[in-house]
Structure formats: C-alpha cells, structure tokens
Amino acid sequence: MQSAGTGALVEPLVAFGRELRRRGLDVGPGRVESAVRAVACVDGRNMDETYWALRCALLSRREDAEAFDEAFAAFWRGMPVPGMRLEQALPQRSAPERRGPAPGGADPAVEPRSVALSVDADGDADESPAGEEIGARFSPIERLREMDFREWGPDELVAARAHLDRIARTLPRRRSRRRRAGSRGPLIDRRSTLRHAMRTEGHPLELRRLERRTAPRRMLLLVDVSGSMEAYARPLIIFCQAVRQASSRVEAFAFGTRLTRLTRELAERDPERAMQRAAAAVPDWAGGTRIGDNLRTLNAAWGRRGVTRGAVVIVFSDGWERGDVGLLDREMERLHRAARTVVWVNPLAGEPGYEPLAAGMAAALPHVDHFLPGHDLASLERLVEVLDVLDERDRDRPVHARPAPPERGVRRGPLRAER
Amino acid sequence: MPSSAEQLQEDLVAHGYLADRGLATVLSIAIDLRKPLLLEGEAGVGKTELAKTVAELRGARLIRLQCYEGIDVAHALYDWNYARQMLHIRTLEANESAHAGQVDELFGPAFLVRRPLLEAIDHEDSEPPILLIDEIDRADDEFEAFLLELLSDFQVTIPELGTISAKQRPIVIMTSNRTRELHDALKRRCLYHWIDHPSPVREAAIVRARVEGAAEPLARQAANFVASLRDMGLSRAPGVAETIDWVESLAALDETVLTEESVDATLGAVLKEREDLDRVRRGDLAAMVAAATEEAE
C-alpha cells in the first residue's frame, strides 16, 4: 500500500522541492527523497500530518519556516490532493508567532535592493574620471593601501581583493580544548606512549604528551550600513566576507535601523555574489542608525546563544547614534562584559585632528578596548596587528598596538572620551 | 483507528510529556524511518526531556552523549583501559606465565572502555536504545564529521576488534541550542524540528502534569506571567523548566494564586540573571500579576 502511494508522490514532491529552491531554501535531491519516505509514514489524507512530514524533511533552519509555509500554501493549493481544503493547508500552530502574509498570500520574493552595494551602480564612480580609471586598475597595492575607501570605485574593489584576503587570514587564534600528540604539554598521551613502548620491549621509556591545538577565535563583525557610513560600507563588507571565508567561527551582522544577520550571505565564496546577497538581505541600506537598539537585539537574541561570549567583537561605525544614547551605553557595557575584546573601527578617526565628539561615540568609548581608524587598507592591516597581540593574556591588561603614524592622529589602547 | 502519530501523541501525554501534533508526527516519522531527529529550540523547551520520555514509553534504554568543546572519539566511542592493561602485563610478568593468547586478551572486550556511541551501536537489547546526542552545537567540526559517518551506516571499526555494526539501529535524537550553525551535510542526514516555547495554555497543562498539588489557577497564572516575561527581551528568558521550578516553589509555600508578595519572594526561581531580576522588580510587578490573573480567568 505504501509503495503505490509513494510512487504517485514523487513527481509533485520533486516539483515542490524546485519551488522551495526558487524561494531560497537549500533543498537537494536527498531531501526530496527523504520527504517522499516521510510522507509515506503518515496518514496521507490528513493535511496536518502531511505538512509536518514534509516540513521535517525539507526544512533545516528555523529562519526558513516562513518561506516554507508560504510555498506550502501556494503550491498545494493548485494540486489535486484528495480531501484537502484550502483552509486546511496550514495546520494550527500552537505558538502565537505566525508573522508574515496570510497563507497563499502574495509572492514574498522581495526584489533585491541593489543600491549602493552592487559593484557596478554607484555614485562613487564619478570621482574617478576615465583617465584615472586605467591608472587605478593597474595601481600598485602601495597606492591602494593609503587610498581612502570613499574614493574607491569598482576597480579598486577588484584590485584589493587579494590583499583583503591576506589581511583576513591573519586572524587571531586561541588555544583550543582539543589536543594533539606532541612532545610538550602537561598531559600524557597514553595511547601513543604504549604504542611507542613496543619499540623498547614494552617498557614505556619515552612519555608521549598531548599539547593543545590552536583554533580560530570566535569573531563577531558588526557593520554600520546607515547613510553616514554609506561610502565605507562596501569595502568593509567585502572585508567581512574575506574574514568569513578565512574562518568558520565568524558571525557577521549589518545594522542601521535594524539588525540583519549576514553570516550566511557572506559564506558565499565569490565576493561579488556575496555582496549582492548581502545587499538583498539588508532592508534598511543607507537609512538611519539606532545602534543601542540593535545592540540590545544582538545581546538578547544572539548573546544567549553564545555568539558574543568570548568573541573578538569588531564594530565598524562612525558612532553616529540617532536613538537613545543611554541605551547604547548600557548595551555596549553588556556586550563588553560577554566579549573577549571589543574593537571599534571608525572611518572618521583617520581624519587629522578627529575627536570622538558624536554623543554615541562618546558613550561607547568606555566599553571599547581598542579604538582604531578604518578608512583604508593600511588601517585594516593595523586592525589585524592589534588582534594579533591579543592571546591568552588577561583582558584587563591593555594591549597596545604599534604606534600609529603621527599624522593620522590615531589613538591607542583603551580610551576614555575626552572633552 | 488513530494514525501512528496520533497514537504516539497520546502515549507521550500519558507519560507526562505534552507534545503537540507537529512534534508527535515528526517523532513518529523519525522512529519509522530510523532517521536521526535534530531538535532545535531555546534552552528549557523540553528537548532532552523528550528523549527521556520516548525511552520510557518504549521501554528502551536511554544512552546519552553530552557534547562539549573538544569531545573526541576516546570520549564518545571507545577507549582502552590502559591502567588495567598495564597491571595485567605486570601480573603476567610476575607469574612468568605469559603466552601469545594472553597478549591477545589485552585488546579484548575486558579492557575496552565502552563509551555512549559504542553502547548504542553494539547492544543486545530487544528494544533498540534511544541515543540522545545532547547539545551537538557545542562539539566542533571534526566531531561533527565523525558523527556524520557514524550516523550514515551505524557501524564502527575498532582496529583491534574489527568492525561492529548495529543489529538494530538505535533511535537517534540530537539537540542543539544553536550556538552555531551545524553543517549542512549533517542536517541532510536528519529530520529537523524546531520546538517553540509552548502557548500559556499548554504550558499550564505541562506544569500541572509535572507538579503534584499545583492548583489550576496558580498554574494558569504562572504560565501567563512567564509568557509576558519572555516578551520583555530579558537577557535570559525562562524556559519551561523554570516555570515548573517556580510553580513547585509556590506550591511548597501553599500558594494557590499569584500575589505580588509571593511573586517577589520567589522570582529567583524563574529569572537567573541579576539584571533581569532588577528590571522586573523595578517595573510594575503588581500590574503584571494582575494581567496574568485576568488572562487566566
């Protein structure tokens, strides 16, 4: 009885899988196969059970649940499933949360906003007229290193890619709980010691030891994509993508008026495609900034899952807060308490004579371990230097980077806002 | 005749676990197909509890593997009892009675330390055991890759003993608190289900099933109160386990309804962070209690 029912289901389920893929879910043939088998386990006339059977086989992330529900309602409405009525298409969920449009509502595929992010369409281009463009394309990395991000065009983004990758790979590492066989270390590797004892007729003359391995430290990248940061956001997001490529223990978020997780988008290998996906994911590109609000969301929703704990947090922002500065102060404190180190990278800090006068910046500074400029490649290199020094040392001891070139007016070490 | 999912849901309820239809359906599919079930959800929504209940109602053994950072094969699968091997060698030496057969014994079952994964595969139980792999997100990539291999064919190779494969596949339940994203390859091996916080009505029912002597109004009001706490964006939102603890403490104090005083005195059972406690106490506790009471009417 099962096999007969299963055969008839294959075709519609393959089509449903295609529909889910179109909506951005990761559904391969393996998932469809397991969906066919799962549906065969339940009472096929019961739409509720069919829904759950399909869902547990085809869905693998909670974030996709809404897209799945929409696809389910839209797809099965047109299919001749015996005994199914439209209002049955979605089971009653016990949980109160059921956001999004009504079942079978409008196509949710939001047109990706390709504003400032997409590499070709941007106002920056007018700053590099045709004559200079060729120069830029072949410009040696030295020139590019000191070039302000605001002056970057598409060519600079391409030319800098390898350099950004190189910077990103020099990430901070830390000791891991995992161990490997080695010659030093406090623990004895009994397995290996006995194996080696075979050579000496069973006498364990040589003690083999276990040493700790190193693993990439958890990193959390927060990029301000509000209007005032627009000119910097693109190179910074490409940098985040490079960091994400270099390590699996990286979380990335963009923030403006709201917080958007970009970890998945930046896992895309090709920087250009990653950029497009990130642009499509951020709903409030070049809008306002509510840093405190966003940090609260981050601390509440992600901090509990351990994203902030022990992490190296890097905030890329000019500190221009349009929300509640008191909230920013409190949430930065909370973030700082959970994190290993908080680094604030402010593109404006590269200006000669910059003072952190913006109210938001002044409120955040007491909770920042390192305050650095971030307007060109050279300053990103310095960021890596700062992180490099940071090993298993006590976080209360300030870690100083190499002195900055004086003309940049860089401030070092833990900083208090000065008025 | 009820479907197998309906039947399972009833059985779970009879054993004190109030599962909704979705969870029961998914679980019944996982049992039928012998596919690992990956459960995600906030801490305290009853992921681990589910595995315990399933073991209980099927009369099966529960084998639990708690994951942590740095867990490896020696902790999860098997290890040799080196100390015992050493002693054995010395004894043989002292008796001067060693012969080839006794050396073989050194790597025999007597010296094998069986860890949870080996227990789950190499079992003689008539009812296949429930293997609970708890908090898989705490383990690292290497361990995930190892699990992936194990979960695809349910067999392991111990060089000294040979290949061992499961006569009956265990029922595998994995839980994750989502501190990190799991590998897609591992997820593809599993059925996936997300457990949400229960609705206040269901939570009250869970509490009453768990706490003996809890008055119904108390359970309803406490569930409403906890639901409103979860909406406050606290740094650690209470789970179902906390609600149960709380009602237990209230019942122990012979309370039958929520009052501002009793809430204030016992709030530490629900909220485990000082700043959360401060925030709730600074707010209008009386109004929250009143709202929770009103909703329960």
Side-chain angles (χ1 to χ4, degrees), chain A residues 26 31 34 37-38 41-43 46 48-49 52-53 55-57 59-63 93-97 174 176-178 190-191 194-195 198 202-204 213 218 248-249 251 261 264 299-300 302 304-307 334 337, chain B residues 3-6 20-22 25-26 29 32-33 35 40 42 69-72 74 78-80 82 85-86 90 140-143 160 177-179 181 184 187-188 190-194 196-197 199 202 233-237 275:
Chain A
D26 174 29
R31 288 242 161 89
S34 94
R37 297 206 293 141
C41 292
V42 299
D43 177 3
N46 183 327
D48 220 36
E49 289 191 6
W52 287 108
R55 199 178 101 148
C56 74
L59 187 76
S60 63
R61 300 196 308 137
R62 194 206 181 190
E63 287 80 0
R93 290 236 211 116
S94 56
E97 49 89 41
R174 55 156 208 148
S176 155
R177 304 282 310 217
R178 252 175 199 277
R190 292 175 298 184
R191 189 177 279 222
L194 274 188
R195 187 160 295 142
M198 297 300 170
H203 299 287
R213 292 201 319 206
R218 208 199 312 268
S248 59
R249 300 184 55 114
E251 285 284 343
R261 183 165 179 245
R264 278 250 152 185
N299 284 329
W302 293 92
R304 208 171 341 135
R305 299 198 201 139
V307 166
R334 203 163 136 200
R337 240 180 330 175
Chain B
S3 69
S4 55
E6 260 172 310
D20 60 22
R21 189 59 174 281
T25 309
V26 171
I29 294 171
D32 282 357
L33 296 181
K35 259 189 165 247
E40 286 192 333
E42 304 287 340
E69 199 188 338
I71 188 170
D72 60 15
Y78 76 98
D79 203 356
W80 291 105
Y82 295 105
Q85 282 175 330
M86 274 299 188
R90 295 294 173 223
D140 45 24
D141 292 352
E142 289 94 331
F143 188 71
E160 297 87 347
N177 289 330
R178 297 222 308 173
T179 59
E181 199 87 49
D184 282 342
K187 283 186 158 184
R188 270 198 289 275
C190 304
L191 299 176
Y192 174 84
H193 189 74
W194 167 272
D196 260 309
H197 285 300
S199 66
R202 179 177 291 277
L234 300 169
S235 61
R236 184 173 298 160
E275 54 187 281

Side-chain angles (χ1 to χ4, degrees), chain A residues 326-341:
Chain A
L327 180 68
L328 171 65
D329 182 27
R330 282 197 301 282
E331 295 301 327
M332 273 304 286
E333 191 197 343
R334 203 163 136 200
L335 180 63
H336 190 214
R337 240 180 330 175
R340 172 72 175 77
T341 307

Side-chain angles (χ1 to χ4, degrees), chain B residues 224-246:
Chain B
N224 289 334
F225 191 90
V226 169
S228 63
L229 286 178
R230 285 183 194 134
D231 287 340
M232 283 178 70
L234 300 169
S235 61
R236 184 173 298 160
V240 180
E242 269 88 12
T243 318
I244 293 172
D245 279 355
W246 190 35

